[in-house]
Amino acid sequence: MDSSKNKTVSASSEDLDTEMLERLLVELRRARDEIAKSVVGQQDVVEQLLIALICGGHVLLEGAPGVGKTLLVQSLGTVAGLSFARVQFTPDLMPADITGSMTLTPDESGQTTLKFQAGPIFSQLLLADEINRATPKTQSAMLEAMQEGTVSAAGKTMQLPDPFFVLATQNPIEMEGTYRLPEAQIDRFLFKSLVKYPEEEELQGILDLTTGVKQQVSEQVLSPEDILLLQKLVRQVPIASHIQRAVARFALTTQPSRADSPSEVTKFFRFGLSPRGAQSLVLAAKGHALLDGRYNVSVEDLSAVLAPAIRHRCQLNYEGEAEGIDADAVLNRLLDTETRKAA
């Protein structure tokens, strides 16, 4: 019997009673509907943003200019009630423009004192717009904030607001004037979500929504306190030991350096899934189960979040890119093989 079908709230929710738990899950699904008021289509991406938010992760949004990446982020900030800041990344942007710097500030007596002027990173939701247009040095200013939730500047380590959520957008790498994100930074994104060009009906809906007199506006549904409770709840969602073991075996099969890895991995992959990536896959599956109104992780949850959770962590080598290998399809087959063995 699949444990994911059990709709009963387990006793592991120590800090949340059943009534509050049900309220949070209802509001979480309402948040998805509110975002849909101002964002036409992109349902998969909207769900991935919400899952990352309640998992305490960050998201890298990739898509061509004009497909609604910035609108997605702004709508999420409104619905979740988060303080919002936006940084437009450009080639001349410096790290201090993001984190802040020491400035001379006049006091009441007219004398100037040296004080730290906080940058836009000191917000709950930071939109790093077109992050791959800045140099790697500036991109690296985000590393500590994304991993530790702190900023080190002026000889001090300062805590960022809680929750802290980075949503970075990037244009496809082949577009002019962009820099590839370092592997160390890209691994710190829970998801890499692809914002695709809309279909005909979706495009018509976008035109109706944005060119008329009256425009739909998303309303706040969640609060920062609700998000912190949901982040605590996500980690309490149980996952069966055989499913977790399948994830561990799957991570090992993606390593091209292992002699027992499948031939398509050793031949076409540059590197495989890191331990952080395996953790992200399990945590994201827990978030997907909650968003779906379930309290146990199923194999379907893993499959649903597999592509956005690891497409930026398992990279093809030059031969794989030249052959046009579909990395997502290969990884799906590997996960399916391991989950079938574990069943």
Side-chain angles (χ1 to χ4, degrees), residues 192-206:
K192 178 182 178 181
S193 300
L194 304 181
V195 184
K196 299 179 180 179
Y197 196 87
E199 299 293 337
E200 180 181 345
E201 290 187 5
E202 293 174 341
L203 186 54
Q204 184 177 345
I206 291 171

Side-chain angles (χ1 to χ4, degrees), residues 239-252 282 338-339 342:
I239 178 172
S241 59
H242 71 277
I243 295 180
Q244 191 159 278
R245 189 179 305 111
V247 173
R249 290 176 177 171
F250 163 72
L252 291 174
V282 171
E338 294 305 323
T339 52

Side-chain angles (χ1 to χ4, degrees), residues 17-262:
D17 57 30
T18 304
E19 184 177 347
M20 182 178 292
L21 173 60
E22 293 294 346
R23 177 186 66 82
L24 288 173
L25 295 185
V26 168
E27 290 180 351
L28 184 61
R29 290 189 286 272
R30 276 188 57 209
R32 178 175 54 189
D33 296 336
E34 281 296 320
I35 295 175
K37 287 183 178 180
S38 54
V39 178
V40 178
Q42 309 294 352
Q43 290 91 344
D44 290 344
V45 178
V46 170
E47 288 195 358
Q48 290 162 20
L49 293 183
L50 288 172
I51 291 170
L53 181 62
I54 65 175
C55 288
H58 310 289
V59 177
L60 178 64
L61 292 171
E62 182 176 288
V67 294
K69 300 186 298 294
T70 303
L71 178 61
L72 266 171
V73 179
Q74 292 173 334
S75 300
L76 178 65
T78 299
V79 167
L82 300 176
S83 61
F84 176 80
R86 175 183 176 181
V87 178
Q88 181 67 47
F89 279 63
T90 57
D92 60 347
L93 191 73
M94 299 298 292
D97 296 329
I98 303 170
T99 60
S101 60
M102 300 298 293
T103 60
L104 289 172
T105 306
D107 57 21
E108 295 179 355
S109 63
Q111 296 182 338
T112 56
T113 57
L114 201 59
K115 290 186 178 180
F116 179 73
Q117 183 68 40
I121 203 170
F122 287 88
S123 57
Q124 292 172 320
L125 175 58
L126 177 67
L127 169 58
D129 212 358
E130 296 187 307
I131 190 172
N132 61 329
R133 291 202 180 277
T135 61
K137 178 181 179 180
T138 301
Q139 293 171 7
S140 67
M142 306 283 293
L143 284 177
E144 179 188 355
M146 292 173 64
Q147 184 65 27
E148 308 296 338
T150 60
V151 168
S152 296
K156 296 181 180 179
T157 298
M158 292 159 280
Q159 192 71 36
L160 290 169
D162 204 11
F164 175 68
F165 189 35
V166 174
L167 279 168
T169 71
Q170 74 170 6
N171 295 324
I173 297 299
E174 65 268 20
M175 299 192 71
E176 185 178 356
T178 59
Y179 298 84
R180 185 180 295 274
L181 269 64
E183 283 81 1
Q185 180 181 356
I186 202 170
D187 193 38
R188 284 166 172 79
F189 286 100
L190 179 73
F191 284 155
K192 178 182 178 181
S193 300
L194 304 181
V195 184
K196 299 179 180 179
Y197 196 87
E199 299 293 337
E200 180 181 345
E201 290 187 5
E202 293 174 341
L203 186 54
Q204 184 177 345
I206 291 171
L207 296 176
D208 288 340
L209 184 65
T210 57
T211 62
V213 176
K214 187 176 180 180
Q215 297 186 11
Q216 293 285 345
V217 179
S218 300
E219 298 180 357
Q220 181 178 346
V221 173
L222 296 165
S223 68
E225 293 75 19
D226 291 335
I227 294 167
L228 291 176
L229 286 173
L230 284 165
Q231 289 179 356
K232 185 181 296 185
L233 176 62
V234 163
R235 294 182 176 272
Q236 298 174 4
V237 174
I239 178 172
S241 59
H242 71 277
I243 295 180
Q244 191 159 278
R245 189 179 305 111
V247 173
R249 290 176 177 171
F250 163 72
L252 291 174
T253 64
T254 66
Q255 307 303 317
S257 59
R258 289 178 61 90
D260 57 347
S261 293

